Amino acid sequence: MTELNDGKPRKIKSARPYSFTLEEDTTSYGTYIRGGIVTQVKPPKVLKFKTLKEAIKEPGEFLMSDFSKFDRPLLLHLAFQALDKFRTELLRFPIAGSAEDAQKLIDFAISINESLGESKLEEIDKKLLQHFASGSRAILNPMAAMFGGIVGQEVVKACSGKFHPLYQFFYFDSVESLPIEPLEASDLKPENSRYDAQISVFGTKLQKKLEQSKIFMVGSGALGCEFLKNLALMGISCSENGKLTVTDDDVIEKSNLSRQFLFRDWNIGQPKSTVAATAAMAINPKLHVEALQNRASPETENVFNDAFWESLDAVVNALDNVTARMYIDSRCVYFQKPLLESGTLGAKCNTQMVIPHLTENYGASRDPPEKQAPMCTVHSFPHNIDHCLTWARSEFEGLLEKTPTEVNVFLSNPSGYATAARTAGDAQARDQLERVIECLDRDKCDTFQDCITWARLKFEDYFANRVKQLTFTFPEDAMTSSGTPFWSAPKRFPRPLEFSSSDPSHLNFLLAASILRAETFGIPIPDWAKNPKKLAEAVDKVIVPDFQPKQGVKIETDEKSTSLSSASVDDAAVIEELIAKLEAISKTLPPGFHMNPIQFEKDDDTNFHMDLIAGFANMRARNYSIPEVDKLKAKFIAGRIIPAIATSTAMATGLVCLELYKVLAGGHKVEDYRNTFANLAIPLFSMAEPVPPKTIKHQDMAWTVWDRWTITGNITLRELLEWLKEKGLNAYSISCGTSLLYNSMFPRHKERLDKKVVDVAREVAKVEVPSYRRHLDVVVACEDDDDIDVDIPLVSIYFR
């Protein structure tokens, strides 16, 4: 159907993963056979906005954020008009806590509402307008951060034409953040402090709670920098009795600087937590903060011990991975501490409140794991640039990090290495030996010219010979066993590349590969290497042998396969031969020979790492007619950089800090809290009450994931069983960690019944309770009198 090759965008419908229907008459076109490459085009959209004067009079539809407040935007639209009138006539804002000023604003609102005719509101919520009037002058940091994020993204949209702008009006309120008890006018009086605006909304009592709070913040990257700024401006932990502990084991990298705004160029390489804490203290010198470089994990429970956790008022997560989030969540559940969770991905952000006994915990619901491209797709059948970059990163690590590391392991202990290979005796051990031998024998480099030769032969191998072998094994007209064309979408039929020293992209690939290969062998790089003309002359000297495709080569096509190595019946015999060959080669090496493994570093633009990875990926993309990418885009994908921007980060942290007011004030119900999902690109804001925890009931008892049963005293196993029996529970299994302390099915376990639970744990589970811990936790499996399993809480025995 060659008529489609004119490059014009065409509307489609019924789009499926690998097919679609054209929304046009194709009866006069040629016959479509198969294949073809299409690119999605997003046509621009034209929006017409009203003038402010028109929009105030006829606001149209509002962008909603919280559907439990469906009628709120219209009332707030009216409230802001009333505030404008109040300020115009009285030349000031309403005074916080002034009933007279609040009534005046309400009167203005009623008057404006009456003038609206048919579109007027039937009912006006005067209590909400009183809150509105009282707090109208205050600038609160969390609200500023949230709206700053939204407005910042709108500015970017206006400048770039990218993403959908917010259409006309968006109103937002968080009256649930206000203290649950009514505030007197005296509570709202200014104290001539930097927190007067906050006091005028929340009162002096809550301000003191904020200043005396003990907070643990985990992470000080993009979210962490925003949080530290917010907490410092709110006065969190800004008294002698308060304390903010922030921990992050990472150091500052160049790519962090676009959004982690507490860091500067000169901080690169320094610990994130220390630099961020110092910057936050510059914002508020009274901030009482301790910066640590420990990863919060089971290995650091001697640092973040029971006393530390028990002292906390709340935990704020500023993490970038699920594993760490799950661990912090488990600690918060165990010690019954509120957890304020958030995350961002590009223009998207979400917040989740985890409140003891009120909400489900973070681990109660999980996103499905991200789909990984099958191994055979990445290695032989790529169909997008991500596949090419994944392969490029894998080849980089294999050639320049893993193989040199394996060489050093062998050289440090040849007999131990050989024993390990014999013990494994599998295809993986065989492949590993072959790579080490290849590196030290055929591919060993002694001069920079050797490195150029190696790079040139690698180019031929990767981008010509392997493609020739693949298309020899599976020709363009190959059919599958079911009779369909083998090269059907999404597979792309590849074409081998012909090397040319006059092609800058070919030469750049060889330059990066030669220099990095020289680094692994400790070979000095000559000055002429970076001269394109001289490099081309050196490359043209390399003799490249002709390639003949082989019969019977197995190429993996199974998408479920996890390994490209094929097992052989004589692996053990082959391994013995390879070990003998390796030992012979090692005798030819100079004394003290070792290699220098290279770890991938994306942020150094002078180290040739990204040059090689971009070259690898783009040459492969050229094989498969996939659009190539520049070095920056390659860095983004291969560096596995999670897209993070300042706007969504600011919004997420602002929303979390609005929830922090509720957490530290205490006494709020679950319906006062809000979880949020937002996408600033669309834009979309969705707020909802958190989900309550699942309740388990037994007889007249009920419990959730937040409950923990405690027993005081150094009791025996028998006493523990009797204690549970009194609750109508028959325990049949007791375990500690991964060890079974008692099971009713094992007769010998009855000998343990009169021993102290702690002593049995020491003997069987080899548990030594650290000095800072006064209790031992056991997991008990129980059933009721009808032999139905009952899932009971963790049991903690306080024996000290």
Side-chain angles (χ1 to χ4, degrees):
M1 200 174 274
T2 53
E3 292 82 0
L4 300 179
N5 296 336
D6 55 14
K8 291 178 186 173
R10 288 173 157 81
K11 271 195 167 187
I12 64 159
K13 59 185 179 182
S14 308
R16 291 177 293 281
Y18 305 117
S19 65
F20 54 83
T21 304
L22 284 168
E23 209 174 83
E24 64 181 273
D25 182 9
T26 59
T27 50
S28 62
Y29 294 2
T31 307
Y32 171 73
I33 302 167
R34 66 183 175 92
I37 295 169
V38 296
T39 306
Q40 185 181 9
V41 177
K42 292 184 178 179
K45 182 178 181 181
V46 177
L47 295 173
K48 287 185 167 53
F49 292 88
K50 296 175 184 176
T51 64
L52 179 61
K53 189 175 181 180
E54 292 170 322
I56 287 172
K57 202 178 257 184
E58 294 177 3
E61 283 189 21
F62 297 98
L63 178 62
M64 292 296 298
S65 64
D66 188 338
F67 284 92
S68 68
K69 303 175 181 178
F70 196 75
D71 54 352
R72 191 67 57 83
L74 268 173
L75 180 59
L76 291 176
H77 187 67
L78 184 64
F80 273 98
Q81 291 175 71
L83 179 63
D84 281 344
K85 193 164 185 182
F86 186 104
R87 292 182 64 194
T88 303
E89 293 198 6
L90 281 81
L91 304 177
R92 63 175 176 84
F93 279 96
I95 295 167
S98 166
E100 187 183 335
D101 281 3
Q103 188 54 52
K104 204 162 195 64
L105 185 134
I106 290 168
D107 291 342
F108 283 140
I110 290 168
S111 168
I112 295 166
N113 189 46
E114 290 300 323
S115 70
L116 296 176
E118 290 181 5
S119 57
K120 75 172 186 177
L121 291 173
E122 294 298 319
E123 195 178 332
I124 288 177
D125 185 341
K126 292 182 180 177
K127 188 178 178 184
L128 186 81
L129 291 182
Q130 285 169 352
H131 287 314
F132 179 89
S134 185
S136 60
R137 188 180 180 182
I139 296 173
L140 298 177
N141 164 259
M143 290 292 268
M146 194 211 90
F147 274 108
I150 295 171
V151 173
Q153 192 67 53
E154 292 305 309
V155 171
V156 173
K157 292 175 188 178
C159 295
S160 65
K162 189 174 174 69
F163 300 143
H164 196 289
L166 196 155
Y167 195 68
Q168 307 290 191
F169 285 105
F170 171 65
Y171 287 102
F172 171 80
D173 74 84
S174 183
V175 289
E176 309 82 22
S177 295
L178 294 172
I180 52 174
E181 294 173 4
L183 296 171
E184 299 296 326
S186 58
D187 294 328
L188 308 173
K189 280 187 178 174
E191 297 183 342
N192 195 26
S193 78
R194 68 184 296 165
Y195 312 119
D196 280 350
Q198 199 161 254
I199 289 168
S200 74
V201 176
F202 295 100
T204 53
K205 286 179 190 171
L206 181 54
Q207 184 58 45
K208 282 189 172 63
K209 279 187 176 180
L210 299 182
E211 291 174 37
Q212 293 173 0
S213 61
K214 292 178 177 64
I215 307 293
F216 182 29
M217 195 178 86
V218 192
S220 56
L223 286 165
C225 284
E226 283 285 346
F227 274 127
L228 275 168
K229 175 260 295 178
N230 292 356
L231 300 179
L233 291 171
M234 291 164 70
I236 299 286
S237 308
C238 286
S239 76
E240 282 303 311
N241 296 329
K243 186 176 180 184
L244 170 61
T245 305
V246 56
T247 191
D248 194 315
D249 66 340
D250 202 3
V251 294
I252 297 161
E253 297 178 5
K254 191 176 181 180
S255 63
N256 300 150
L257 301 180
S258 68
R259 62 201 181 277
Q260 299 176 21
F261 69 97
L262 298 182
F263 307 145
R264 298 292 179 266
D265 284 5
W266 56 85
N267 298 132
I268 292 169
Q270 296 174 12
K272 284 186 176 181
S273 58
T274 308
V275 174
T278 304
M281 283 191 282
I283 294 170
N284 189 338
K286 290 191 175 179
L287 181 66
H288 189 195
V289 58
E290 181 182 13
L292 302 173
Q293 284 88 51
N294 303 92
R295 182 188 293 255
S297 66
E299 292 73 41
T300 55
E301 286 180 11
N302 60 324
V303 178
F304 307 113
N305 57 26
D306 294 13
F308 170 80
W309 280 96
E310 285 162 1
S311 70
L312 297 175
D313 294 310
V315 179
V316 177
N317 264 356
L319 291 162
D320 61 359
N321 68 89
V322 172
T323 305
R325 285 183 170 108
M326 293 293 286
Y327 173 73
I328 297 298
D329 175 60
S330 69
R331 295 273 85 192
C332 288
V333 170
Y334 186 86
F335 290 101
Q336 303 192 12
K337 299 296 175 183
L339 171 64
L340 292 88
E341 168 59 46
S342 56
T344 70
L345 183 71
K348 298 173 190 167
C349 70
N350 74 285
T351 68
Q352 181 181 350
M353 299 307 109
V354 177
I355 312 298
H357 304 288
L358 292 184
T359 74
E360 67 176 11
N361 62 315
Y362 173 80
S365 56
R366 296 281 298 274
D367 289 335
E370 287 186 26
K371 283 188 176 179
Q372 297 279 330
M375 195 172 285
C376 68
T377 300
V378 169
H379 282 268
S380 300
F381 309 109
H383 49 86
N384 61 44
I385 196 66
D386 290 42
H387 297 154
C388 299
L389 281 159
T390 301
W391 173 82
R393 174 85 186 260
S394 171
E395 291 300 318
F396 180 102
E397 289 173 352
L399 291 169
L400 301 171
E401 183 184 2
K402 290 178 182 174
T403 300
T405 301
E406 283 295 324
V407 167
N408 290 346
V409 170
F410 163 70
L411 294 173
S412 65
N413 184 5
S415 60
Y417 189 85
T419 303
R422 287 188 185 102
T423 304
D426 57 8
Q428 193 174 346
R430 182 195 69 206
D431 290 352
Q432 202 166 280
L433 283 163
E434 285 174 347
R435 283 195 297 271
V436 172
I437 289 167
E438 191 175 89
C439 185
L440 293 176
D441 186 18
R442 192 188 73 190
D443 289 346
K444 187 172 179 296
C445 298
D446 297 310
T447 65
F448 191 71
Q449 181 64 48
D450 291 342
C451 298
I452 291 173
T453 301
W454 174 85
R456 174 66 185 88
L457 295 176
K458 279 292 173 192
F459 183 101
E460 199 69 18
D461 177 38
Y462 282 129
F463 310 119
N465 298 352
R466 292 190 190 188
V467 173
K468 289 173 185 174
Q469 181 64 58
L470 179 64
T471 54
F472 176 79
T473 306
F474 300 110
E476 195 167 5
D477 57 358
M479 306 294 278
T480 66
S481 55
S482 60
T484 57
F486 179 83
W487 294 101
S488 298
K491 288 191 184 83
R492 292 174 177 231
F493 186 76
R495 312 277 174 194
L497 299 187
E498 190 170 324
F499 179 81
S500 169
S501 57
S502 60
D503 186 324
S505 60
H506 292 192
L507 212 54
N508 287 341
F509 170 83
L510 256 66
L511 173 65
S514 303
I515 287 175
L516 293 174
R517 185 66 171 176
E519 276 184 33
T520 63
F521 279 94
I523 296 168
I525 295 150
D527 294 337
W528 57 262
K530 294 175 187 176
N531 180 315
K533 189 179 177 186
K534 290 188 175 178
L535 181 65
E537 288 171 4
V539 170
D540 288 338
K541 289 178 188 172
V542 179
I543 298 166
V544 179
D546 290 337
F547 175 77
Q548 288 298 324
K550 296 172 187 169
Q551 293 282 358
V553 172
K554 186 180 187 308
I555 296 173
E556 187 60 69
T557 59
D558 182 4
E559 293 194 352
K560 293 175 184 174
S561 175
T562 56
S563 172
L564 296 173
S565 302
S566 53
S568 167
V569 289
D570 56 351
D571 273 341
V574 173
I575 285 169
E576 282 302 328
E577 284 178 27
L578 292 171
I579 289 169
K581 190 173 181 182
L582 187 54
E583 287 170 349
I585 292 167
S586 67
K587 290 171 185 172
T588 66
L589 299 172
F593 174 84
H594 74 281
M595 293 190 72
N596 307 310
I598 296 174
Q599 277 196 321
F600 173 60
E601 171 49 63
K602 66 183 182 299
D603 289 323
D604 182 350
D605 292 334
T606 64
N607 64 9
F608 289 96
H609 293 196
M610 277 313 308
D611 299 82
L612 181 58
I613 282 182
F616 258 132
N618 284 332
M619 295 303 100
R620 190 166 177 79
R622 210 172 284 183
N623 281 141
Y624 287 86
S625 305
I626 294 168
E628 296 171 37
V629 290
D630 60 24
K631 199 163 94 173
L632 189 67
K633 178 76 172 171
K635 177 179 176 177
F636 180 82
I637 300 168
R640 294 167 192 150
I641 298 171
I642 296 170
I645 48 178
T647 50
S648 54
T649 308
M651 182 184 176
T653 57
L655 289 167
V656 167
C657 289
L658 286 170
E659 300 300 309
L660 186 58
Y661 287 129
K662 305 171 193 176
V663 168
L664 297 178
H668 283 271
K669 297 176 181 175
V670 68
E671 51 265 30
D672 291 339
Y673 289 96
R674 291 290 182 274
N675 290 347
T676 304
F677 172 77
N679 186 343
L680 291 174
I682 302 177
L684 165 77
F685 305 97
S686 176
M687 295 178 172
E689 289 173 25
V691 177
K694 180 186 173 186
T695 303
I696 297 168
K697 293 181 179 179
H698 171 68
Q699 294 181 355
D700 59 347
M701 296 182 292
W703 58 86
T704 70
V705 69
W706 290 102
D707 290 292
R708 182 156 55 103
W709 287 350
T710 58
I711 305 171
T712 304
N714 197 2
I715 63 167
T716 64
L717 277 171
R718 191 185 301 278
E719 287 169 329
L720 174 56
L721 296 178
E722 287 168 358
W723 185 82
L724 291 163
K725 184 70 178 169
E726 288 169 11
K727 297 178 181 289
L729 295 163
N730 304 310
Y732 60 84
S733 174
I734 301 168
S735 57
C736 179
T738 56
S739 298
L740 191 63
L741 304 187
Y742 169 79
N743 191 298
S744 59
M745 299 285 288
F746 302 151
R748 289 188 64 183
H749 282 197
K750 288 176 183 169
E751 296 168 11
R752 302 174 180 174
L753 285 174
D754 292 315
K755 291 183 179 180
K756 305 290 187 189
V757 177
V758 180
D759 294 337
V760 177
R762 284 196 186 107
E763 291 168 22
V764 177
K766 308 298 181 197
V767 169
E768 278 303 326
V769 183
S771 57
Y772 57 80
R773 186 161 290 160
R774 297 178 296 114
H775 66 274
L776 178 78
D777 296 320
V778 292
V779 176
V780 185
C782 295
E783 56 191 19
D784 61 18
D785 293 333
D786 296 324
D787 297 337
I788 296 169
D789 277 347
V790 181
D791 191 8
I792 72 165
L794 192 69
V795 177
S796 296
I797 300 165
Y798 282 77
F799 61 92
R800 282 182 179 150

